[in-house]
């Protein structure tokens, strides 16, 4: 469903020039190019949950934004549901339900109204939107707040609404950036169960997290990244067997230390 081949994304940042500061006694800056994502390749299949694991700053969000069609890669290739991003990005995006880590919703409307807006964006008829809205209410357990204004919802309800609006067009692929970050136990459980149920329907779920324990129990396959590069990929079991560690947290720490990147 998702094919990523040698994907790179570079940015330019401004850094302090300490060498010139010592010579001139004035702080100067210079521009420096860096790779936020460096030569990443992987594939996902139908009906699996694929986890992107790494600490803050590892490049997870940049990677997912490229897969969601928000950022253009510096180099490399992306295919989703058979569509090549270089030539058919708009068609590819129609097959995706994308949840950004900093998604903002319109506070003065209700979730039901939000679904109607997104349904129109996907060129759905009013009848199709109404049918899907009722399905989503049941799937995400939203009956108690579906007509409340979003600005009055709890954090967990707001996150469920964010994920629910990704369902309106019945996508083949879900791309979620830290979907359970900062949520209480019950809200996290509801989102995890949703991802499991979509896997059972043959949908592909790609999601990033730094919660190693959550990924270990949920994911069929894992991609570990650090400083923009892949340091390991495989099933949770294969990664533990290869490193002779008991959990994914210890696997990650061991691999980073072996690279000499441990600070």
């Amino acid at each position: 469903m998702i094919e990523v081949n040698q994907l790179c994304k570079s940015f330019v940042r401004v850094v302090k020039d300490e060498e010139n500061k010592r010579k001139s006694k004035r702080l100067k800056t210079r521009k420096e190019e860096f790779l936020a994502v460096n030569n990443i390749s992987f594939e996902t299949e139908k009906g699996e949950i694929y986890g992107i694991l790494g600490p803050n700053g590892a490049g997870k969000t940049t990677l997912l934004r490229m897969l969601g069609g928000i950022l253009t890669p510096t180099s490399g290739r992306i295919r989703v549901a058979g569509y090549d991003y270089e030539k058919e990005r708009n068609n590819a995006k129609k097959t995706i339900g994308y949840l950004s880590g900093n998604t903002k919703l319109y506070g003065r409307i209700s979730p039901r109204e939000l679904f109607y807006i997104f349904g129109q964006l996907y060129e759905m008829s009013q009848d199709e939107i109404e049918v899907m809205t009722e399905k989503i209410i049941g799937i995400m357990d939203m009956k108690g707040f579906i007509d409340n204004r979003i600005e009055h919802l709890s954090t967990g309800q707001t996150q469920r609404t964010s994920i629910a609006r990704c369902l309106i067009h019945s996508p083949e692929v879900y791309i979620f950036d830290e979907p359970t970050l900062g949520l209480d136990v019950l809200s996290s459980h509801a989102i995890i169960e949703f991802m499991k149920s979509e896997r059972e329907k043959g949908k592909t779920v790609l999601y990033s997290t730094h919660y190693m324990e959550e990924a270990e129990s949920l994911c069929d396959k894992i991609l570990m990244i650090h400083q923009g590069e892949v340091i390991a990929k495989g099933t949770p079991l294969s990664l533990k067997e290869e490193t002779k560690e008991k959990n994914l947290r210890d696997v990650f720490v061991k691999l980073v230390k072996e690279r000499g990147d441990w600070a």
Side-chain angles (χ1 to χ4, degrees):
M1 288 300 293
I2 301 175
E3 302 173 44
V4 177
N5 187 30
Q6 296 182 326
L7 201 63
C8 296
K9 182 62 179 178
S10 65
F11 294 99
V12 174
R13 60 188 172 191
V14 176
V15 297
K16 297 177 182 178
D17 194 334
E18 297 295 339
E19 182 65 28
N20 280 333
K21 181 182 177 181
R22 286 192 292 269
K23 293 179 179 179
S24 65
K25 297 183 180 181
R26 289 190 304 171
L27 179 60
K28 293 186 177 181
T29 60
R30 57 184 171 82
K31 292 183 178 180
E32 175 183 86
E33 186 175 12
F34 73 101
L35 282 167
V37 170
N38 186 8
N39 199 33
I40 288 183
S41 300
F42 67 91
E43 294 184 11
T44 71
E45 304 294 337
K46 284 187 176 181
E48 72 177 9
I49 299 176
Y50 199 103
I52 309 294
L53 272 63
N56 293 335
K60 303 188 301 298
T61 294
T62 299
L63 173 61
L64 295 194
R65 284 179 177 171
M66 287 190 285
L67 299 180
I70 296 172
L71 288 178
T72 300
T74 303
S75 62
R77 184 180 181 187
I78 301 171
R79 291 178 65 87
V80 175
Y83 294 109
D84 190 318
Y85 265 36
E86 189 171 337
K87 301 175 182 178
E88 305 168 290
R89 183 180 299 192
N90 287 336
N91 288 330
K93 289 171 72 172
K94 291 178 182 178
T95 69
I96 293 171
Y98 177 77
L99 176 71
S100 169
N102 59 355
T103 299
K104 303 297 182 184
L105 302 179
Y106 306 103
R108 297 179 66 82
I109 64 175
S110 69
R112 189 188 300 274
E113 291 168 326
L114 180 72
F115 300 159
Y116 184 75
I117 292 170
F118 273 85
Q120 289 183 311
L121 290 174
Y122 285 106
E123 301 177 342
M124 298 169 63
S125 70
Q126 184 168 340
D127 287 344
E128 289 173 327
I129 294 171
E130 290 176 358
V131 169
M132 280 304 300
T133 296
E134 292 306 312
K135 286 184 179 180
I136 291 168
I137 291 170
I139 291 169
M140 299 299 292
D141 191 20
M142 300 178 68
K143 187 176 181 179
F145 60 89
I146 187 66
D147 292 308
N148 295 350
R149 278 165 54 157
I150 291 171
E151 63 188 0
H152 296 148
L153 302 184
S154 69
T155 301
Q157 290 170 340
T158 302
Q159 185 72 330
R160 270 189 276 172
T161 301
S162 292
I163 292 176
R165 55 99 184 156
C166 299
L167 278 67
I168 194 70
H169 61 301
S170 189
E172 299 177 52
V173 176
Y174 294 98
I175 299 177
F176 292 156
D177 189 0
E178 302 274 10
T180 60
L181 181 64
L183 298 187
D184 60 77
V185 174
L186 293 179
S187 296
S188 294
H189 177 76
I191 291 169
I192 288 170
E193 290 304 307
F194 163 73
M195 288 192 281
K196 289 179 179 179
S197 69
E198 291 302 289
R199 173 176 58 189
E200 294 302 313
K201 297 174 186 175
K203 304 294 182 74
T204 300
V205 180
L206 180 70
Y207 93 111
S208 74
T209 183
H210 60 263
Y211 296 146
M212 302 288 178
E213 294 80 3
E214 177 182 285
E216 187 167 348
S217 65
L218 180 62
C219 295
D220 301 292
K221 295 177 184 174
I222 297 288
L223 182 80
M224 290 185 169
I225 64 174
H226 181 59
Q227 297 181 351
E229 298 181 352
V230 176
I231 61 172
K233 55 184 171 181
T235 66
L237 180 60
S238 70
L239 292 173
K240 288 186 287 186
E241 288 179 341
E242 290 168 10
T243 57
K244 296 181 173 58
E245 297 292 347
K246 295 181 179 180
N247 57 67
L248 291 184
R249 181 179 297 276
D250 290 341
V251 169
F252 186 85
V253 170
K254 181 176 184 177
L255 291 172
V256 171
K257 286 183 175 180
E258 287 177 349
R259 286 165 54 93
D261 294 332
W262 187 262

